[in-house]
Coordinates of all heavy atoms in Angstrom, one line a residue:
Chain Q
D243 N 147.8 156.6 93.1 CA 146.9 157.0 92.0 C 147.6 157.4 90.8 O 147.0 157.1 89.7 CB 145.9 158.1 92.4 CG 144.8 157.6 93.5 OD1 144.9 156.4 93.8 OD2 144.0 158.4 94.0
D244 N 148.6 158.1 90.9 CA 149.3 158.7 89.7 C 150.4 157.8 89.3 O 151.2 158.2 88.2 CB 149.7 160.2 89.9 CG 148.4 161.0 90.0 OD1 147.4 160.7 89.3 OD2 148.5 162.0 90.7
V245 N 150.7 156.8 89.8 CA 151.8 155.9 89.4 C 151.5 155.2 88.2 O 150.5 154.4 88.0 CB 152.2 154.9 90.6 CG1 153.4 153.9 90.1 CG2 152.6 155.6 91.9
V246 N 152.3 155.4 87.2 CA 152.2 154.6 85.8 C 153.2 153.4 86.0 O 154.3 153.6 86.2 CB 152.4 155.5 84.7 CG1 152.4 154.6 83.4 CG2 151.3 156.5 84.7
S247 N 152.6 152.2 85.7 CA 153.5 151.1 85.6 C 153.1 150.2 84.5 O 152.1 150.4 83.7 CB 153.5 150.3 87.0 OG 152.2 150.1 87.4
E248 N 153.8 149.0 84.3 CA 153.6 148.2 83.2 C 153.4 146.7 83.8 O 154.2 146.3 84.7 CB 154.8 148.2 82.3 CG 154.5 147.7 80.9 CD 155.6 147.9 79.9 OE1 156.7 147.3 80.0 OE2 155.7 149.0 79.2
I249 N 152.4 146.1 83.2 CA 152.3 144.6 83.6 C 152.8 143.8 82.4 O 152.3 144.1 81.2 CB 150.7 144.4 83.9 CG1 150.2 145.1 85.1 CG2 150.6 142.7 84.2 CD1 148.8 145.0 85.3
R250 N 153.8 143.0 82.6 CA 154.3 142.2 81.5 C 153.8 140.7 81.7 O 154.2 140.0 82.6 CB 155.8 142.3 81.5 CG 156.3 143.7 81.2 CD 157.7 143.7 80.8 NE 158.2 145.2 80.8 CZ 159.5 145.5 80.6 NH1 160.4 144.6 80.8 NH2 159.7 146.8 80.6
I251 N 152.9 140.4 80.8 CA 152.2 139.1 80.8 C 153.3 138.1 80.0 O 153.8 138.5 79.1 CB 150.9 139.3 80.1 CG1 149.9 140.2 80.9 CG2 150.2 137.9 80.1 CD1 149.6 139.9 82.3
H252 N 153.3 136.9 80.6 CA 154.1 135.9 79.9 C 153.5 135.7 78.5 O 152.3 135.7 78.2 CB 154.0 134.6 80.7 CG 154.9 133.6 80.3 ND1 154.7 132.9 79.1 CD2 156.1 133.2 80.8 CE1 155.8 132.0 79.0 NE2 156.6 132.2 80.1
P253 N 154.5 135.6 77.5 CA 154.0 135.5 76.2 C 153.1 134.3 75.8 O 152.3 134.5 74.9 CB 155.4 135.3 75.4 CG 156.4 135.9 76.2 CD 156.0 135.7 77.7
R254 N 153.1 133.3 76.6 CA 152.2 132.2 76.4 C 150.7 132.6 76.5 O 149.9 131.8 76.0 CB 152.5 131.0 77.3 CG 152.1 131.3 78.8 CD 152.6 130.1 79.6 NE 151.8 128.9 79.3 CZ 151.7 127.7 80.1 NH1 152.6 127.7 81.1 NH2 151.0 126.8 79.7
W255 N 150.5 133.7 77.1 CA 149.1 134.1 77.4 C 148.7 135.2 76.4 O 147.7 135.9 76.7 CB 148.8 134.5 78.8 CG 149.1 133.4 79.9 CD1 150.0 133.5 81.0 CD2 148.6 132.2 79.9 NE1 150.1 132.3 81.6 CE2 149.3 131.4 81.0 CE3 147.7 131.4 79.1 CZ2 148.9 130.1 81.3 CZ3 147.4 130.1 79.4 CH2 147.9 129.5 80.5
L256 N 149.4 135.5 75.6 CA 149.2 136.6 74.6 C 147.7 136.6 74.1 O 146.9 137.6 74.1 CB 150.2 136.7 73.4 CG 149.9 137.7 72.2 CD1 149.9 139.1 72.7 CD2 150.9 137.6 71.1
A257 N 147.3 135.4 73.5 CA 145.9 135.3 72.9 C 144.9 135.6 74.0 O 143.8 136.0 73.6 CB 145.8 133.9 72.2
G258 N 145.2 135.4 75.2 CA 144.3 135.6 76.3 C 144.0 137.0 76.6 O 143.1 137.3 77.4
L259 N 144.7 137.9 75.9 CA 144.5 139.3 76.2 C 143.7 139.9 75.1 O 143.4 141.2 75.3 CB 145.9 140.1 76.3 CG 146.8 139.7 77.4 CD1 148.3 140.1 77.2 CD2 146.2 140.1 78.7
K260 N 143.3 139.3 74.2 CA 142.5 139.8 73.0 C 141.2 140.5 73.5 O 140.4 139.9 74.3 CB 142.1 138.7 72.1 CG 141.4 139.3 70.8 CD 140.8 138.1 70.0 CE 140.0 138.7 68.8 NZ 139.1 137.8 68.2
G261 N 141.1 141.7 73.2 CA 139.9 142.5 73.6 C 140.0 143.1 74.9 O 139.2 143.9 75.3
I262 N 141.1 143.1 75.7 CA 141.1 143.5 77.1 C 141.2 145.0 76.9 O 140.8 145.8 78.0 CB 142.3 143.0 77.8 CG1 142.2 143.2 79.4 CG2 143.7 143.6 77.3 CD1 143.1 142.4 80.2
E263 N 141.7 145.6 75.7 CA 141.8 147.0 75.6 C 140.4 147.8 75.5 O 140.3 148.9 75.5 CB 142.7 147.4 74.5 CG 142.4 146.9 73.2 CD 142.8 145.3 73.0 OE1 143.3 144.7 73.9 OE2 142.4 144.9 71.9
D264 N 139.4 147.0 75.4 CA 138.0 147.5 75.3 C 137.5 147.9 76.7 O 136.5 148.5 76.8 CB 137.0 146.6 74.7 CG 137.3 146.4 73.1 OD1 138.0 147.3 72.6 OD2 137.0 145.3 72.7
F265 N 138.3 147.6 77.6 CA 138.0 148.0 79.1 C 138.9 149.1 79.6 O 140.1 149.0 79.4 CB 138.0 146.8 80.0 CG 137.0 145.7 79.6 CD1 137.3 144.7 78.8 CD2 135.7 145.6 80.2 CE1 136.3 143.7 78.4 CE2 134.8 144.7 80.0 CZ 135.1 143.7 79.0
S266 N 138.2 150.1 80.2 CA 139.1 151.1 80.7 C 139.7 150.8 82.0 O 140.7 151.4 82.5 CB 138.2 152.5 81.0 OG 137.2 152.2 81.9
H267 N 139.1 149.8 82.8 CA 139.7 149.5 84.1 C 139.9 148.0 84.3 O 139.0 147.3 83.8 CB 138.8 150.1 85.2 CG 138.7 151.6 85.3 ND1 138.0 152.3 84.5 CD2 139.4 152.4 86.3 CE1 138.3 153.6 84.8 NE2 139.1 153.8 85.9
L268 N 140.9 147.7 85.0 CA 141.2 146.3 85.2 C 141.3 146.0 86.7 O 141.6 146.8 87.5 CB 142.7 145.8 84.6 CG 142.8 146.1 83.2 CD1 144.2 145.6 82.7 CD2 141.7 145.3 82.4
I269 N 140.9 144.7 87.0 CA 141.1 144.3 88.4 C 142.3 143.4 88.4 O 142.3 142.4 87.6 CB 139.7 143.3 88.9 CG1 138.5 144.1 88.9 CG2 140.1 142.7 90.2 CD1 137.3 143.4 88.9
V270 N 143.3 143.9 89.1 CA 144.5 143.2 89.2 C 144.7 142.4 90.5 O 144.6 143.1 91.7 CB 145.7 144.0 88.9 CG1 147.1 143.4 88.9 CG2 145.5 144.8 87.6
L271 N 144.9 141.1 90.4 CA 145.2 140.3 91.6 C 146.7 140.0 91.6 O 147.2 139.6 90.7 CB 144.4 139.1 91.7 CG 143.0 139.2 91.6 CD1 142.2 137.8 91.6 CD2 142.4 140.0 92.8
F272 N 147.4 140.4 92.8 CA 148.8 140.2 92.7 C 149.4 139.7 94.0 O 148.6 139.8 95.1 CB 149.6 141.4 92.3 CG 149.3 142.7 93.1 CD1 150.1 143.1 94.1 CD2 148.3 143.5 92.7 CE1 149.8 144.4 94.8 CE2 147.9 144.6 93.4 CZ 148.7 145.0 94.4
H273 N 150.4 139.1 94.0 CA 151.0 138.4 95.2 C 151.9 139.4 96.0 O 152.8 140.0 95.4 CB 151.9 137.2 94.7 CG 152.4 136.4 95.8 ND1 153.6 135.8 95.8 CD2 151.9 136.1 97.0 CE1 153.9 135.1 97.0 NE2 152.8 135.2 97.7
L274 N 151.6 139.6 97.2 CA 152.4 140.5 98.1 C 153.6 139.7 98.5 O 153.7 139.3 99.7 CB 151.6 140.9 99.3 CG 150.4 141.7 98.9 CD1 149.2 141.8 99.9 CD2 150.8 143.1 98.5
S275 N 154.6 139.6 97.5 CA 155.6 138.5 97.7 C 156.7 139.0 98.7 O 157.5 138.2 99.3 CB 156.4 138.3 96.4 OG 156.6 139.6 95.6
R276 N 156.6 140.3 99.0 CA 157.5 140.9 100.1 C 156.9 140.8 101.5 O 157.6 141.1 102.4 CB 157.9 142.3 99.8 CG 158.3 142.7 98.4 CD 159.7 142.8 98.5 NE 160.2 143.5 97.2 CZ 160.7 144.7 97.3 NH1 160.9 145.4 98.5 NH2 161.1 145.4 96.4
S277 N 155.6 140.4 101.6 CA 154.9 140.4 102.8 C 155.2 139.3 103.7 O 155.1 138.1 103.2 CB 153.4 140.6 102.6 OG 152.8 140.3 103.9
V278 N 155.9 139.5 104.9 CA 156.3 138.2 105.6 C 155.5 138.2 107.0 O 155.4 139.2 107.7 CB 157.7 138.3 105.9 CG1 158.2 137.1 106.8 CG2 158.5 138.2 104.6
G279 N 154.9 137.1 107.2 CA 154.1 137.0 108.5 C 152.7 137.5 108.5 O 152.4 138.4 107.8
V280 N 151.9 137.0 109.4 CA 150.5 137.3 109.6 C 150.4 138.3 110.8 O 151.0 137.9 111.8 CB 149.6 136.1 109.6 CG1 148.1 136.6 109.8 CG2 149.7 135.2 108.4
R281 N 149.7 139.4 110.6 CA 149.3 140.1 111.8 C 147.8 140.0 112.0 O 147.1 140.6 111.3 CB 149.7 141.6 111.7 CG 151.2 141.8 111.6 CD 151.7 143.1 111.5 NE 153.2 143.1 111.1 CZ 153.7 144.2 110.5 NH1 153.0 145.3 110.5 NH2 155.0 144.2 110.1
V282 N 147.3 139.2 113.0 CA 145.9 139.0 113.0 C 145.0 140.3 113.3 O 144.0 140.4 112.8 CB 145.6 137.8 114.1 CG1 144.1 137.5 114.1 CG2 146.4 136.5 113.6
Q283 N 145.6 141.1 114.1 CA 144.9 142.4 114.3 C 145.9 143.5 114.1 O 147.0 143.3 114.4 CB 144.2 142.4 115.7 CG 143.1 141.4 116.0 CD 142.3 141.6 117.1 OE1 142.7 142.3 118.1 NE2 141.1 141.0 117.1
V284 N 145.3 144.6 113.4 CA 146.3 145.8 113.2 C 145.6 147.0 113.5 O 144.3 147.1 113.4 CB 146.7 145.7 111.7 CG1 147.7 144.5 111.4 CG2 145.5 145.7 110.8
H285 N 146.4 148.0 113.7 CA 145.9 149.5 113.6 C 146.0 149.8 112.2 O 147.1 149.6 111.6 CB 146.8 150.4 114.5 CG 146.7 150.2 115.9 ND1 145.5 150.5 116.6 CD2 147.5 149.5 116.7 CE1 145.7 150.2 117.9 NE2 146.9 149.7 118.1
P286 N 144.9 150.1 111.5 CA 145.1 150.4 110.0 C 146.2 151.4 109.8 O 146.3 152.4 110.4 CB 143.6 151.0 109.7 CG 142.7 150.4 110.7 CD 143.6 150.1 111.9
R287 N 146.9 151.0 108.6 CA 148.1 151.8 108.2 C 149.1 152.1 109.4 O 149.8 153.1 109.4 CB 147.7 153.1 107.6 CG 146.9 152.9 106.5 CD 146.8 153.9 105.4 NE 145.8 153.7 104.5 CZ 145.4 154.5 103.6 NH1 145.9 155.7 103.5 NH2 144.4 154.3 102.7
G288 N 149.0 151.3 110.5 CA 150.0 151.3 111.5 C 149.7 152.6 112.4 O 150.6 152.9 113.2
R289 N 148.6 153.2 112.3 CA 148.3 154.4 113.0 C 147.7 154.1 114.4 O 146.4 153.6 114.4 CB 147.3 155.4 112.2 CG 148.1 156.2 111.3 CD 147.2 157.1 110.4 NE 146.1 157.6 111.2 CZ 145.2 158.4 110.6 NH1 145.2 158.7 109.3 NH2 144.2 159.0 111.3
A290 N 148.3 154.3 115.4 CA 147.9 154.0 116.9 C 146.6 154.8 117.2 O 145.8 154.3 118.1 CB 149.1 154.3 117.8
D291 N 146.3 155.9 116.5 CA 145.1 156.5 116.9 C 143.8 156.0 116.3 O 142.8 156.4 116.5 CB 145.2 158.1 116.4 CG 145.4 158.1 114.9 OD1 146.2 157.4 114.3 OD2 144.6 159.0 114.2
L292 N 144.1 155.0 115.4 CA 142.9 154.1 114.8 C 142.7 152.9 115.6 O 143.7 152.4 116.2 CB 143.1 153.9 113.3 CG 143.4 155.1 112.5 CD1 143.5 154.8 111.0 CD2 142.0 156.1 112.5
P293 N 141.5 152.3 115.6 CA 141.2 151.2 116.4 C 142.0 149.9 116.0 O 142.3 149.8 114.7 CB 139.7 151.0 116.3 CG 139.3 151.8 115.1 CD 140.3 152.8 115.0
L294 N 142.2 149.0 116.9 CA 142.7 147.8 116.6 C 141.5 146.9 116.0 O 140.7 146.6 116.6 CB 143.4 147.0 117.9 CG 144.2 145.9 117.7 CD1 145.5 146.2 117.0 CD2 144.6 145.3 119.1
V295 N 141.8 146.4 114.8 CA 140.8 145.7 114.2 C 141.3 144.4 113.5 O 142.6 144.3 113.3 CB 140.0 146.5 113.0 CG1 139.2 147.6 113.7 CG2 140.9 147.0 112.0
G296 N 140.5 143.5 113.1 CA 140.9 142.2 112.6 C 141.4 142.5 111.2 O 141.0 143.3 110.5
L297 N 142.4 141.7 110.8 CA 143.1 141.8 109.4 C 142.0 141.7 108.2 O 142.3 142.4 107.3 CB 144.2 140.8 109.2 CG 143.8 139.3 108.8 CD1 143.9 139.0 107.3 CD2 144.6 138.4 109.6
F298 N 141.0 141.0 108.4 CA 140.0 140.8 107.4 C 139.2 142.0 107.2 O 138.3 142.1 106.3 CB 139.1 139.5 107.5 CG 140.0 138.3 107.3 CD1 140.1 137.4 108.5 CD2 140.7 138.0 106.2 CE1 140.9 136.2 108.4 CE2 141.5 136.8 106.2 CZ 141.6 136.0 107.1
A299 N 139.2 143.0 108.2 CA 138.5 144.2 108.2 C 139.4 145.4 107.6 O 139.0 146.5 107.6 CB 137.9 144.6 109.5
T300 N 140.5 144.9 107.1 CA 141.5 145.9 106.6 C 142.1 145.4 105.3 O 141.9 144.3 104.8 CB 142.6 146.1 107.5 OG1 143.6 145.0 107.4 CG2 142.2 146.3 109.0
R301 N 143.0 146.2 104.6 CA 143.7 145.8 103.5 C 145.2 145.5 103.8 O 146.0 145.6 102.9 CB 143.5 146.9 102.4 CG 142.1 147.2 101.9 CD 141.3 146.0 101.2 NE 141.5 146.1 99.9 CZ 140.6 146.6 99.0 NH1 139.4 147.0 99.5 NH2 140.8 146.7 97.8
S302 N 145.3 145.3 105.1 CA 146.9 145.0 105.4 C 147.4 144.0 104.5 O 146.9 142.9 104.2 CB 146.7 144.6 106.9 OG 148.0 143.8 107.3
P303 N 148.9 144.2 104.3 CA 149.3 143.1 103.5 C 149.8 141.8 104.3 O 150.1 140.8 103.7 CB 150.7 143.8 103.0 CG 151.0 144.9 104.1 CD 149.6 145.3 104.5
H304 N 149.7 141.9 105.6 CA 150.1 140.7 106.5 C 148.9 139.8 106.7 O 148.3 139.8 107.8 CB 150.6 141.3 107.8 CG 151.9 142.2 107.5 ND1 153.0 141.7 107.2 CD2 151.9 143.6 107.5 CE1 153.9 142.8 107.0 NE2 153.2 143.9 107.1
R305 N 148.5 139.0 105.7 CA 147.4 138.3 105.6 C 147.8 136.7 105.6 O 149.0 136.5 105.0 CB 146.6 138.5 104.4 CG 146.5 140.1 104.0 CD 145.7 140.3 102.8 NE 144.3 140.2 103.1 CZ 143.5 141.1 103.8 NH1 144.0 142.2 104.2 NH2 142.1 140.8 104.0
P306 N 146.9 135.9 105.9 CA 147.1 134.4 105.8 C 147.7 134.1 104.3 O 148.7 133.4 104.1 CB 146.0 133.7 106.2 CG 145.2 134.7 107.0 CD 145.6 136.0 106.5
N307 N 146.9 134.7 103.4 CA 147.3 134.5 101.9 C 147.5 135.8 101.4 O 146.6 136.5 101.1 CB 146.2 133.8 101.2 CG 145.9 132.3 101.6 OD1 146.9 131.6 101.8 ND2 144.6 132.0 101.8
P308 N 148.9 136.2 101.3 CA 149.3 137.6 100.9 C 148.8 137.9 99.5 O 149.8 137.9 98.7 CB 150.6 137.7 101.3 CG 151.1 136.3 101.3 CD 149.9 135.4 101.6
I309 N 147.7 138.2 99.2 CA 147.1 138.5 97.9 C 146.5 139.9 97.9 O 145.7 140.2 98.9 CB 146.2 137.5 97.4 CG1 145.8 137.6 95.9 CG2 145.1 137.2 98.2 CD1 145.2 136.5 95.3
A310 N 146.7 140.7 97.0 CA 146.1 142.1 96.9 C 145.2 142.2 95.6 O 145.4 141.5 94.7 CB 147.2 143.1 96.8

Side-chain angles (χ1 to χ4, degrees):
Chain Q
D243 285 358
D244 290 326
V245 174
V246 173
S247 52
E248 202 173 78
I249 302 174
R250 298 194 181 166
I251 302 294
H252 191 284
R254 71 182 292 189
W255 302 123
L256 173 62
L259 295 168
K260 186 190 173 194
I262 200 169
E263 60 277 2
D264 291 336
F265 294 87
S266 63
H267 290 76
L268 303 180
I269 298 166
V270 182
L271 301 180
F272 54 97
H273 186 215
L274 295 160
S275 46
R276 307 260 203 114
S277 170
V278 176
V280 180
R281 298 180 194 160
V282 178
Q283 296 194 339
V284 293
H285 293 284
R287 302 205 190 167
R289 276 177 45 178
D291 62 313
L292 298 181
L294 191 67
V295 293
L297 76 96
F298 297 116
T300 76
R301 303 293 270 263
S302 161
H304 303 285
R305 319 180 75 79
N307 297 313
I309 186 170

